[in-house]
Amino acid sequence: MDLVIENLPLENGNDLLQQIGADNARSVLQYLETPADLARISAVSRFWRHFVAENQCSRGLCIKLFPEVSRFVCAFEIGQQVNFEGASLSKVTEWKNIEREHRVYTQLARDLMEPATENNCIQHPISASSTDIFPDESIMYTLHPSAIEDDRPSYWSSQGESNSDVPETLTYRLSSRLCVVHEVKIHPFQAYFQMGLPIYSAKAVRIRLGRTRSSTLLTSGMLDGMMSADRSASEDYVWTYISPEFPMQQEDKLQTFRLPKPVLCIGGILQIELLGRVQRQEMDGLYYICVCHARVVGRPLPAAYDFEALDQEEKYILKYSDRLECCGSLSEDLSRGSSEEYEAGGSSGWLSLSERIRRIRAGRVLLWNQSILKALLGNIVAAILMIPDDEDSDGDDDILRD
């Protein structure tokens, strides 16, 4: 939306927002559609910038784009002191708090509007509501894109049920605690080793997004325990979004279930509900649901974002750190450039890493001090960063040999 204001009479040189009144101004600003609109409005004058920040227009834009943002009662920048006791705030401190929150939500609006960048946002499986034969038919096999892996069938299978209405669930942890989800793809399993090649699909699918009430991080040992125990669908989760039901076809193909609009998952937990059964197994006459692959298309928010749950189940504090975002970008850049060399082994990997760091340094990407880099990347990388720009490559070799 392009905002055009021209040829409007202003009395006594008053600002337009002052002339139309605060209530009318707030009503007009509700029609902002993009962070660019917000930036243009804020750039008009200091009064307009203050008005936009004080009336939480950036937060309102985020909520308009993603209603889940309304669950954040406040936002602040990590490392900045914030006073939440309004009665004791000076005007200067109060304005600083407002401005910081405005910056966080403005950046959040930009990041939320980025297109989907990952074809699979699943980090690892958590549990299935039931498993027929563990571990040969466990949920971990749904991460493989093919129905055959290492010359064996690769799929998850539920336990058999005589009632075709019994549902099943598959629960996954996403790659970020705050992740925008666009769609979920599911491939029902066709039992190519059974008579008639039956396809064990579900009647319908429903998607839940949310978090665990426990803040404990899952380790591989805990994960194995969860899957072997087959935790039930009534697991202790707080769901911040539940999709409508999508019909599933009884076909051997990857089926796409696109959400009505992209959703911000607060908590990084996604659960697939498989509703109803359509296929009996000839051997025992029971209904089963089998899935050979599940995939989540979306975009994890940058590592700069995090949240903290309040006592109320569905209220959160949004936290943001631009320093974490910078460190995350450097780590990703270094890992992409040097992964092959590390796997190959030998000194060539270190030489390649040295060259990449030299280029990054030359491009003035590093905005933090060497002590932080030393803690993150180790003594060798910190030593490389201290090499003067005018030294040749022999200096790198001397350091690496030492």
Side-chain angles (χ1 to χ4, degrees), residues 158-223:
S158 71
Q159 292 180 345
E161 296 286 349
S162 58
N163 183 358
S164 63
D165 294 329
V166 176
E168 297 285 349
T169 62
L170 300 174
T171 308
Y172 300 89
R173 181 173 292 282
L174 302 179
S175 54
S176 174
R177 282 174 27 104
L178 292 170
C179 186
V180 177
V181 177
H182 290 251
E183 61 189 33
V184 177
K185 297 176 180 287
I186 305 173
H187 191 159
F189 179 67
Q190 182 176 35
Y192 60 87
F193 46 80
Q194 292 184 356
M195 186 74 68
L197 306 178
I199 300 174
Y200 292 94
S201 64
K203 293 178 181 178
V205 171
R206 186 164 54 205
I207 310 299
R208 293 176 181 262
L209 301 173
R211 66 174 180 89
T212 59
R213 286 193 172 91
S214 171
S215 60
T216 304
L217 294 177
L218 296 174
T219 63
S220 58
M222 295 170 62
L223 183 64

Side-chain angles (χ1 to χ4, degrees), residues 129 156 158 163-170 186-190 198-207 245-253 255 257 272-280 287-292:
S129 51
W156 161 82
S158 71
N163 183 358
S164 63
D165 294 329
V166 176
E168 297 285 349
T169 62
L170 300 174
I186 305 173
H187 191 159
F189 179 67
Q190 182 176 35
I199 300 174
Y200 292 94
S201 64
K203 293 178 181 178
V205 171
R206 186 164 54 205
I207 310 299
E245 294 185 14
F246 304 98
M248 175 178 271
Q249 300 174 339
Q250 192 178 11
E251 296 182 7
D252 178 27
K253 67 178 183 179
Q255 302 179 33
F257 305 97
I272 299 174
E273 288 187 277
L274 301 164
L275 308 173
R277 303 161 186 246
V278 298
Q279 183 64 51
R280 288 181 185 267
Y287 289 96
Y288 291 82
I289 301 177
C290 301
V291 172
C292 69

Side-chain angles (χ1 to χ4, degrees), residues 44 63 75 93 141 153 173 216 218 225 258 273 281 294 320 325:
V44 171
I63 294 174
T93 304
Y141 290 109
R173 181 173 292 282
T216 304
L218 296 174
R258 178 175 286 273
E273 288 187 277
Q281 182 175 246
Y320 177 79
E325 185 170 16

Side-chain angles (χ1 to χ4, degrees), residues 346-348 350-351 354 380 383-384 387 391-402:
S347 62
S348 62
W350 290 108
L351 291 172
S354 166
I380 294 180
I384 294 172
I387 302 171
E391 289 190 13
D392 56 20
S393 59
D394 293 336
D396 292 338
D397 297 337
D398 293 337
I399 291 175
L400 295 174
R401 283 195 293 271
D402 292 341

Side-chain angles (χ1 to χ4, degrees), residues 144-149 152-155 187 189-190 192 252 292-293:
H144 301 157
S146 174
I148 301 177
E149 189 77 17
R152 66 170 300 280
S154 176
Y155 65 98
H187 191 159
F189 179 67
Q190 182 176 35
Y192 60 87
D252 178 27
C292 69
H293 184 53

